[in-house]
Amino acid sequence: EYFKRIEKYDNSIEAFLTLNKEEALKKAKEIDEKRKNGEQLGYLAGIPVAIKDNISTKGLKTTCASNIIKDYIPPFDATVIENLKNADAIIIGKTNLDEFAMGSSTETSAFQITKNPWDISRVPGGSSGGSAAAVASQMAPFSLGSETGGSVRQPASFCGLVGLKPTYGLVSRYGLIAFASSFDQIGPFTRNVEDAAIVMNVIAGYDKMDSTSVKREKENYLDGLKNDIKGLKIGVPKEYLEGLEGNVKSQMEQSIKTFENLGAEVEMMSLPHSGYGLETYYILAPSEASSNLARFDGIRYGNRSSNYNNTEELFVKTRSEGFGEEVKRRIMMGTYCLSSGYYDAYYKKAQEVRTLIKNDFDKAFEKYDILISPTTLSTAFKIGEKNDDPIAMYQSDKLTVGVNIAGVPAISIPCGLSDNMPIGLQIIGKNFDEAKILNVAYNFE
Ligand code: GLN
């Protein structure tokens, strides 16, 4: 049924880069067989899933939507993929993204522009736009994306979905092609909160293959999901209410009322350093990216320029031909910020501000159980609208990057419409409080 929908709608949505039809149907048959024979089935038996194309899938192309690895077929599965397969989920295909997950609209993909299923003249958000569009158009019941600065929550908000960014270290990054390693985290897109809890039950947990994975007991995110939230203390950072467009502000006010009706206490508060979030993020993330992407040199991975006379030229031509404009911009910014002479002024300073931003959150959570805000300033913008203005594009991440800088978890859930386009509400929790934010989101939903 899902492949039928893909055939029907993906010509116009362009969410998928690669389909895994033959394998998927074979796996589905195997599961039917097992069921018939009364054999034990996995937790997600027979449920199709679409995967962002920067998550490694054994035997299935993983391109990061970049020409530099456009034919790369990983010889191993990412840990999240292994977990999904062990639960008998069925991988139906790989989805489009901004090249190497750098962007907020999925327009920097080297291959295609994914459309927002609510209005195909608009972007689905990014960088996990393909994963969001696939679920929003019901070409998959759930999908995985990745977050470095908002790439699950922002497209979830633009496409009317639930999107969760887990606590840094909760979900293994092994096999996620690195963008900025101190930020990167894999997260699910689902159509409701309960599904997000179910997916988290499969993908969260310690992994010895990821040195940043945190050792802690596995939780069942369905436990307590439906508890009431009477007496919950909610903070609303006032800095996150500046510059809202359309109905975003009025829907936020409406959401606050909903929480009050559910018995929560809502209070305005401040995250005083949030004004430095974008600048901090756009120094640290490109710096880490410039280092991570050094591995694409034409020797070990992916495509090699056919047109060189010596090793130096091999590197330069391979990278010049293989990377797109936004990726090159990030590599140049990052290299600049890390270079001797500028390191103290940019990279080191940004690391210091990172601590201040993290301290703001720590302090807030001494007083509040959760924080809420809109996920984005506006609803989905038009395709092409911010394409030739990188700064305008970066500014659209204003309300999401703080969470990634601090490492804390956050979810985006639908909270109304503005001009018939969905608006997202962001619920932020303290480290490893996924169960709490899912519980709060469930009550709101
Ligand atoms: N839009 C942000 C960026 O371009 C975040 C991307 C992401 O979370 N992968 O870096």
Side-chain angles (χ1 to χ4, degrees):
E1 286 307 314
Y2 282 100
F3 281 115
K4 272 189 210 151
R5 281 191 69 87
I6 292 171
E7 243 164 64
K8 200 159 163 202
Y9 296 110
D10 204 39
N11 274 341
S12 53
I13 303 294
E14 298 194 78
F16 285 92
L17 291 175
T18 304
L19 292 177
N20 191 31
K21 191 166 176 182
E22 213 175 299
E23 256 317 292
L25 295 179
K26 195 173 125 215
K27 175 89 189 168
K29 281 216 179 82
E30 279 170 26
I31 292 170
D32 278 346
E33 250 346 273
K34 272 205 214 170
R35 182 171 278 132
K36 250 191 253 151
N37 299 336
E39 281 174 55
Q40 178 101 32
L41 295 174
Y43 187 69
L44 296 178
I47 314 251
V49 53
I51 306 288
K52 187 177 184 179
D53 210 21
N54 61 349
I55 299 175
S56 303
T57 42
K58 187 174 176 178
L60 190 60
K61 255 200 309 196
T62 301
T63 67
C64 285
S66 180
N67 277 320
I68 207 157
I69 49 167
K70 71 178 187 336
D71 300 312
Y72 172 61
I73 298 179
F76 72 106
D77 275 325
T79 298
V80 289
I81 300 298
E82 223 176 81
N83 292 342
L84 287 171
K85 286 185 176 172
N86 288 338
D88 284 336
I90 300 178
I91 290 156
I92 57 173
K94 304 297 292 289
T95 54
N96 198 24
L97 64 151
D98 282 297
E99 186 176 2
F100 282 100
M102 297 173 187
S104 313
S105 66
T106 314
E107 291 167 294
T108 74
S109 164
F111 307 133
Q112 63 200 35
I113 294 182
T114 300
K115 321 296 182 300
N116 189 314
W118 291 71
D119 171 355
I120 58 169
S121 72
R122 292 176 190 275
V123 303
S127 62
S128 315
S131 286
V135 177
S137 55
Q138 300 189 36
M139 296 191 288
F142 80 102
S143 62
L144 293 187
S146 71
E147 274 235 8
T148 303
S151 282
V152 170
R153 284 164 292 150
Q154 185 252 29
S157 161
F158 281 8
C159 293
L161 299 172
V162 173
L164 176 70
K165 197 293 277 185
T167 308
Y168 185 75
L170 180 64
V171 175
S172 171
R173 295 186 295 116
Y174 179 68
L176 169 66
I177 297 176
F179 164 7
S181 313
S182 76
F183 296 84
D184 297 345
Q185 201 52 203
I186 291 168
F189 289 98
T190 56
R191 297 176 65 81
N192 61 53
V193 175
E194 190 168 8
D195 283 357
I198 291 171
V199 179
M200 285 304 287
N201 280 348
V202 175
I203 63 172
Y206 174 70
D207 177 18
K208 67 175 189 316
M209 301 302 281
D210 173 1
S211 65
T212 59
S213 172
V214 175
K215 246 192 190 135
R216 57 196 307 282
E217 204 147 311
K218 238 176 138 45
E219 273 179 76
N220 183 344
Y221 295 101
L222 291 172
D223 289 349
L225 183 71
K226 301 180 181 175
N227 289 353
D228 70 46
I229 56 165
K230 283 196 190 80
L232 187 86
K233 288 207 165 63
I234 301 181
V236 184
K238 63 175 198 286
E239 295 82 1
Y240 282 49
L241 300 178
E242 289 160 16
L244 305 178
E245 293 172 26
N247 287 348
V248 177
K249 188 154 191 226
S250 60
Q251 285 302 324
M252 183 63 204
E253 285 158 1
Q254 196 56 46
S255 305
I256 291 176
K257 283 203 193 104
T258 304
F259 280 117
E260 284 171 343
N261 292 338
L262 288 165
E265 289 166 35
V266 187
E267 218 175 79
M268 287 294 174
M269 45 79 72
S270 170
L271 294 171
H273 297 92
S274 31
Y276 303 111
L278 278 177
E279 289 79 353
T280 305
Y281 174 82
Y282 278 100
I283 289 172
L284 295 179
S287 295
E288 294 184 24
S290 73
S291 166
N292 273 325
L293 270 55
R295 75 192 63 177
F296 301 104
D297 54 9
I299 308 256
R300 289 166 295 182
Y301 297 88
N303 289 353
R304 175 180 302 176
S305 172
S306 48
N307 159 32
Y308 60 90
N309 296 311
N310 55 46
T311 317
E312 171 84 18
E313 251 184 56
L314 161 64
F315 292 154
V316 171
K317 295 222 163 124
T318 296
R319 290 167 67 81
S320 305
E321 292 162 17
F323 288 134
E325 200 179 321
E326 182 60 26
V327 175
K328 285 179 189 162
R329 183 179 296 121
R330 305 279 179 120
I331 292 172
M332 284 191 280
M333 286 199 297
T335 307
Y336 179 85
C337 292
L338 291 175
S339 57
S340 70
Y342 296 106
Y343 179 91
D344 282 353
Y346 294 102
Y347 184 76
K348 185 161 172 277
K349 182 61 78 187
Q351 288 287 33
E352 287 165 355
V353 181
R354 182 176 199 170
T355 303
L356 295 176
I357 292 173
K358 184 181 177 304
N359 290 347
D360 282 354
F361 279 96
D362 288 348
K363 221 167 141 212
F365 288 123
E366 284 170 13
K367 188 157 178 213
Y368 302 100
D369 298 308
I370 58 152
L371 307 178
I372 59 170
S373 79
T375 308
T376 50
L377 300 171
S378 71
T379 56
F381 44 87
K382 293 267 185 194
I383 290 170
E385 191 182 319
K386 300 186 198 246
N387 236 354
D388 45 14
D389 185 352
I391 302 287
M393 189 69 90
Y394 298 169
Q395 266 157 1
S396 66
D397 302 330
K398 192 174 157 206
L399 305 183
T400 50
V401 292
V403 158
N404 305 80
I405 292 170
V408 295
I411 196 168
S412 179
I413 55 173
C415 78
L417 300 173
S418 181
D419 281 335
N420 292 321
M421 292 303 291
I423 300 173
L425 172 77
Q426 167 164 253
I427 302 171
I428 308 170
K430 61 171 182 289
N431 279 345
F432 302 107
D433 243 356
E434 277 75 6
K436 167 75 72 197
I437 58 177
L438 285 162
N439 166 233
V440 174
Y442 183 85
N443 273 274
F444 181 86
E445 185 183 68

